[in-house]
């Protein structure tokens, strides 16, 4: 375990440019997690709570494409599991920058609940 740095050591390191990168802030809204990547740019995915409630996902449909313009509340992902069929919606309006096509070809990736793999889309908020 690394030794705890004093306030002054951290301040000196900060001035020298040795800042530790800030952890990305993640918000969860209606079963969708949002991670702010840049100013107005978000990555969206399914939250772990939503995945637990749905069960094992066997089918996923992305009714969106890159460069689609979405209104808040538009469907971004439909999943089918052993328990239910569920539609997830975008909490923000914006333009789709990138879509994770791997989720359609291999919906089991969502079940692994690894945030790096189960993202749905990147959205540029207007």
């Amino acid at each position: 375990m690394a030794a705890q740095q004093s306030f002054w050591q951290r301040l000196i390191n900060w001035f020298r440019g040795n800042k530790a990168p800030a952890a990305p802030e993640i918000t969860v809204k209606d079963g969708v997690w949002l991670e702010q990547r840049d100013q107005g740019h978000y990555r969206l995915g399914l939250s772990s709570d939503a995945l637990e409630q749905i069960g094992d996902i066997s089918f996923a449909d992305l009714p969106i494409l890159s460069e689609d313009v979405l209104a808040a509340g538009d469907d971004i992902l439909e999943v089918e599991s052993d328990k239910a069929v569920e539609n997830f919606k975008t909490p923000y309006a914006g333009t789709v920058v990138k879509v994770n096509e791997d989720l359609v070809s291999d919906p089991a990736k969502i079940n692994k609940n690894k945030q790096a793999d189960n993202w749905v889309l990147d959205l540029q908020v207007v």
Side-chain angles (χ1 to χ4, degrees):
M1 188 167 138
Q4 185 78 13
Q5 289 185 333
S6 73
F7 168 77
W8 296 110
Q9 290 170 323
R10 289 193 313 268
L11 185 62
I12 290 168
N13 286 340
W14 184 82
F15 276 114
R16 290 182 181 159
N18 297 332
K19 298 178 276 196
E25 185 176 326
I26 297 181
T27 307
V28 176
K29 188 170 183 179
D30 298 328
V32 176
W33 58 258
L34 300 106
E35 175 186 12
Q36 186 166 5
R37 314 280 283 183
D38 295 319
Q39 185 64 30
H41 179 213
Y42 291 85
R43 178 161 278 184
L44 285 69
L46 299 184
S47 71
S48 56
D49 289 342
L51 290 171
E52 286 176 21
Q53 291 175 7
I54 292 172
D56 286 338
I57 295 172
S58 56
F59 174 79
D61 181 36
L62 288 162
I64 51 173
L65 300 169
S66 290
E67 300 183 17
D68 280 355
V69 177
L70 302 176
D74 282 355
D75 288 343
I76 57 171
L77 180 68
E78 178 181 315
V79 294
E80 184 177 315
S81 72
D82 52 352
K83 294 181 182 179
V85 174
E86 187 75 37
N87 288 321
F88 291 92
K89 301 176 183 313
T90 177
Y92 297 131
T95 303
V96 177
V97 177
K98 189 175 180 182
V99 176
N100 187 353
E101 296 289 344
D102 291 342
L103 296 183
V104 175
S105 60
D106 186 11
K109 280 188 174 184
I110 302 172
N111 296 326
K112 295 176 186 169
N113 199 15
K114 292 184 181 174
Q115 185 172 319
D117 296 334
N118 77 4
W119 64 277
V120 176
L121 61 89
D122 288 347
L123 185 71
Q124 183 66 44
V125 176
V126 289

